[in-house]
Amino acid sequence: MKALINIDYTFDFVATEGKLTTAEAGQKLHDDILALTRHFVDSGDFVVFAIDWHEPYDQYHPENRLFPEHNVVGTVGRELYGDLAEYVTENRHDPKVYWLNKRHYSAFSGTDLDIRLRERGITEIHLVGVCTDICVLHTAIDAYNLCYDIVIHEKGVASFDPVGHEWAMKHFKNVLGAKIV
Ligand code: ZN
């Protein structure tokens, strides 16, 4: 069994006016991520939206020192970018579509993702979203440590740092044993 993990494809990370945007690099992924999401749902596979969840004034969060405020609860910044938003709204009652709020880079950190995957017998996870070298990378590392097979969709990931993106793509393949498709 396999699952698609959609990471942080939100307004703040993708839209031109987003707070921490990948801009064009992220916007280019839109059609592929949407098509892949539809394909997984239509094939009966599990699809997870693992989305950054930041509270304003969360003084203990280490990201405060590193990045501008982004994906704040209750703001447009946390909404999915483009047609993905409407797709998820339409399919929100589908048990195959699961929304996961995450506070850290990795979709596994402090969440029930591992349990949700294991109870469905899922052993292979497909990753799309942003940023390649931050949240996608940290999710892939945790997945590696939890013994999942990892598939990275090359046309489904991007970063605001092109050097970081290239480095992470090599790391997925050569160090985490991921399949790049
Ligand atoms: Zn964040």
Side-chain angles (χ1 to χ4, degrees):
M1 293 288 283
K2 61 187 199 296
L4 177 69
I5 320 283
N6 258 285
I7 298 172
D8 286 337
Y9 200 69
T10 64
F11 185 91
D12 269 350
F13 284 108
V14 183
T16 306
E17 315 81 51
K19 300 257 173 62
L20 193 52
T21 190
T22 54
E24 217 176 297
Q27 290 161 17
K28 276 201 292 205
L29 314 176
H30 177 271
D31 293 356
D32 283 299
I33 291 182
L34 185 63
L36 207 57
T37 301
R38 284 182 194 279
H39 174 72
F40 268 70
V41 172
D42 294 347
S43 309
D45 290 311
F46 193 43
V47 174
V48 177
F49 287 87
I51 307 298
D52 245 13
W53 183 90
H54 293 304
E55 294 167 293
Y57 320 117
D58 178 358
Q59 59 176 311
Y60 301 107
H61 204 299
E63 278 182 42
N64 292 346
R65 298 191 298 273
L66 301 165
F67 299 109
E69 202 176 62
H70 59 278
N71 267 43
V72 172
V73 180
T75 67
V76 67
R78 272 198 95 218
E79 287 172 15
L80 292 171
Y81 178 79
D83 295 342
L84 210 54
E86 199 184 319
Y87 179 80
V88 172
T89 304
E90 279 168 10
N91 291 278
R92 67 187 179 281
H93 299 304
D94 189 325
K96 297 188 296 292
V97 177
Y98 183 55
W99 185 278
L100 181 94
N101 293 327
K102 66 179 181 69
R103 190 166 167 255
H104 291 143
Y105 303 141
S106 170
F108 289 96
S109 175
T111 73
D112 67 356
L113 180 58
D114 185 45
I115 296 166
R116 297 267 173 183
L117 297 174
R118 283 183 202 281
E119 67 192 6
R120 287 166 174 76
I122 290 162
T123 55
E124 180 180 294
I125 64 165
H126 292 239
L127 301 182
V128 291
V130 295
C131 297
T132 322
D133 51 332
I134 307 177
C135 291
V136 179
L137 175 70
H138 284 250
T139 300
I141 291 169
D142 279 347
Y144 171 85
N145 289 326
L146 292 165
C147 301
Y148 288 98
D149 292 325
I150 305 163
V151 179
I152 307 284
H153 290 259
E154 200 163 15
K155 285 190 180 156
V157 292
S159 176
F160 42 71
D161 175 357
V163 176
H165 171 86
E166 286 307 320
W167 177 88
M169 290 305 292
K170 272 191 222 151
H171 192 85
F172 292 140
K173 184 166 184 272
N174 299 335
V175 181
L176 303 179
K179 198 157 121 186
I180 312 291
V181 295

